[in-house]
Amino acid sequence: MPIHWLQNTLKARPITRRLYCALRDWKFKVSDSLKLKKLERQFRGHELLVVKSRDCGFFSNFFQAVGGIHLARKNNQRVVFQFDNGPYLDPERPEESWWSYYFQPSNPSTWITNLDSSSEQSVYIVDEKEDLNQMSRMGARFERHAAHQILSEFVLQKAVADAVQAFKETHLRNHFTIGLHYRGTDKVEDGLEANRVGYSMIDETLNAISAQDIPFRLFVATDEDPLIHHLDGRETFELVYTNSLRSSSNEPVHLSANRRSKYQLGFDALLDALLLSQCDFLLRTESNLSKSCRFFNPTQENINLSTEFAYSTPDWTKPKTPNIKRILGKVVSAYQRKQALSKEGVAGSDST
C-alpha cells in the first residue's frame, strides 16, 4: 500500500485528519526538542554565534534567523547574521550582510549587525549546511505566539516599514480584506515541493465567499503574472496587489535577478508577507512566505489550500476540491470580528 495513499486516506475525514495531524505535530515537537538540545550543546561555551546564510529562498533564511535568535537566547549568547551569499546579496549595496538591508536589531545585547574582527570574544561560526537547515526547520515550526515574541528582536528598516504603511493606508484601511498568497512557478511539477493548486480551486473558493454577500477586498501576493490577469476585472471584489516582479513563465522569480535588483527581490517578498499578515483573513498555498504571516500576526485566521484540502481526497481519479463549508465558517467569523472591532472603535471615539 503506497504511503501517500494511506496518508491521504487518513486526512480525508475530519476526525482521522485531526488525529493524523496531532501525531505528526507530536513527532515534530519531540524531534525538534532533541535536535535543539544537540545544537545548544554544540554552541555552548561561546559568547557569539555567527550565523551564515544559505543559497535558498528569503523566508527559509528568515526562519533560520528566528531559530538563531532562539538558540542564542537559550545559551545567553549574542548573534550576528552574516548573510553574505545567496540570491539576495546585492553587489551594489555597501552592507556586508543582506539581512541588514531589511532588518535592524531592537536589542543590541542579543543581536549585533557586524562582527568585530578585533574582538577577543569566543566565536562559533554556524556554516554547516545541516546545522543551518535544522535551524531553519526548527524556526519554521515554532508556535506562533512564541515566534512572534522572538520577532520583537527584529525592527524593520525604514524603507520597508514606510512601504507597508503607505500601501496599507491606501488600499487596506477600513476594508474587510482577504489575503491570497499563490505560489506557482517552482511548484509546477507535482512533488517538487508541494502539488500545484489549480486556478479552479481558487475560483470555487472566491465564488463561494462572494455568494455570502460579504463585501471584501482581495489582496493578492503571487509570483505568477497569469493569476493577476485571471482575477483582474471581477465584479464581486476589488483586486489589489503590489508592483512586485512576477513570472510570465515557469521560471522562478528569484532566479530572474537580472530583471530586478537582488535587493528589490527580497524587498518585494518581505513586503508581500507583511501585507498578507495585515489582512483580516488569509488564503494561502504551501510556501514559507505565507507561513511567516502567523509569526507577524499570530491571531490571523488562515486556510492552507495546499495541505489541508488539495491532498484530502483518497481517490486520485476525482478532482480535488476545497472544503467550502469550513472556509466559509472561518471567513464569516473573521468578518464578524472585523465588524465588532469597528463598532468598538466608533463607540470609543464617540465617548471621547
Side-chain angles (χ1 to χ4, degrees):
M1 178 184 297
I3 187 65
H4 293 300
W5 183 90
L6 177 60
Q7 289 175 337
N8 285 333
T9 300
L10 290 172
K11 290 186 283 185
R13 294 174 177 81
I15 294 177
T16 53
R17 181 166 64 240
R18 284 195 293 269
L19 178 61
Y20 172 87
C21 291
L23 290 172
R24 181 197 60 189
D25 292 344
W26 176 82
K27 174 186 173 184
F28 283 153
K29 287 181 180 179
V30 171
S31 176
D32 285 346
S33 178
L34 293 174
K35 291 174 180 177
L36 172 62
K37 291 185 181 300
K38 179 183 176 182
L39 288 178
E40 282 181 44
R41 292 192 300 268
Q42 184 175 327
F43 301 155
R44 194 171 295 157
H46 300 275
E47 298 172 85
L48 183 66
L49 288 183
V50 178
V51 179
K52 307 291 283 188
S53 58
R54 292 166 298 142
D55 190 9
C56 59
F58 186 99
F59 283 95
S60 184
N61 279 293
F62 171 86
F63 290 134
Q64 181 182 302
V66 171
I69 287 285
H70 180 70
L71 284 165
R73 283 179 166 185
K74 297 285 285 187
N75 280 338
N76 196 26
Q77 297 164 314
R78 302 174 87 189
V79 63
V80 172
F81 299 115
Q82 202 171 62
F83 286 9
D84 55 6
N85 67 353
Y88 307 101
L89 185 67
D90 196 325
E92 297 182 2
R93 293 187 65 91
E95 298 93 336
E96 295 180 359
S97 171
W98 61 259
W99 185 253
S100 297
Y101 301 168
Y102 314 106
F103 300 100
Q104 56 184 314
S106 62
N107 183 3
S109 66
T110 303
W111 164 29
I112 56 179
T113 54
N114 293 303
L115 177 62
D116 184 358
S117 58
S118 65
S119 173
E120 296 182 357
Q121 294 183 93
S122 176
V123 176
Y124 190 102
I125 299 177
V126 190
D127 57 1
E128 290 292 331
K129 184 176 181 181
E130 183 50 42
D131 289 344
L132 295 172
N133 285 342
Q134 180 54 39
M135 195 179 289
S136 180
R137 288 192 293 266
M138 179 179 63
R141 291 199 286 258
F142 277 156
E143 190 274 328
R144 60 175 63 197
H145 289 280
H148 181 68
Q149 201 278 328
I150 290 175
L151 288 190
S152 65
E153 304 286 351
F154 303 161
V155 176
L156 295 174
Q157 294 286 9
K158 187 176 185 302
V160 181
D162 287 350
V164 172
Q165 188 61 27
F167 191 95
K168 181 180 176 181
E169 288 291 324
T170 303
H171 298 290
L172 306 185
R173 190 165 62 92
N174 299 329
H175 295 278
F176 177 66
T177 307
I178 295 175
L180 169 63
H181 180 239
Y182 187 91
R183 182 178 169 195
T185 57
D186 52 348
K187 292 184 181 291
V188 172
E189 298 178 16
D190 284 355
L192 182 60
E193 286 188 49
N195 288 352
R196 183 187 180 91
V197 172
Y199 286 4
S200 60
M201 183 178 288
I202 302 298
D203 289 340
E204 185 176 352
T205 302
L206 293 177
N207 289 341
I209 295 172
S210 299
Q212 298 303 300
D213 198 28
I214 293 177
F216 69 94
R217 183 166 285 191
L218 184 70
F219 170 69
V220 176
T222 180
D223 56 355
E224 226 173 64
D225 196 50
L227 179 64
I228 298 295
H229 294 297
H230 180 76
L231 295 173
D232 204 11
R234 303 287 178 96
E235 296 181 354
T236 52
F237 55 81
E238 184 176 354
L239 183 69
V240 293
Y241 47 88
T242 63
N243 186 31
S244 299
L245 175 66
R246 298 182 178 86
S247 177
S248 298
S249 63
N250 292 336
E251 181 187 30
V253 170
H254 62 272
L255 300 181
S256 307
N258 59 315
R259 295 164 58 189
R260 184 167 289 197
S261 78
K262 294 185 176 184
Y263 162 78
Q264 193 65 40
L265 286 174
F267 187 98
D268 289 348
L270 180 58
L271 179 61
D272 273 346
L274 291 166
L275 290 172
L276 284 169
S277 74
Q278 297 287 315
C279 295
D280 300 296
F281 183 79
L282 176 62
L283 289 168
R284 57 180 293 258
T285 54
E286 187 58 34
S287 169
N288 282 332
L289 188 153
S290 51
K291 186 183 291 185
S292 73
C293 292
R294 65 194 177 96
F295 291 8
F296 294 119
N297 182 1
T299 63
Q300 184 183 54
E301 288 274 12
N302 74 87
I303 289 289
N304 187 337
L305 291 172
S306 295
T307 58
E308 193 163 357
F309 300 108
Y311 303 118
S312 64
T313 173
D315 187 347
W316 293 350
T317 65
K318 294 181 179 179
K320 298 168 182 176
T321 58
N323 186 329
I324 293 296
K325 183 178 179 180
R326 176 178 167 83
I327 294 175
L328 291 180
K330 285 180 172 286
V331 171
V332 170
S333 175
Y335 179 69
Q336 291 173 342
R337 185 166 59 250
K338 174 86 167 185
Q339 295 294 95
L341 290 173
S342 297
K343 289 179 181 178
E344 288 177 10
V346 171
S349 62
D350 289 343
S351 65
T352 57

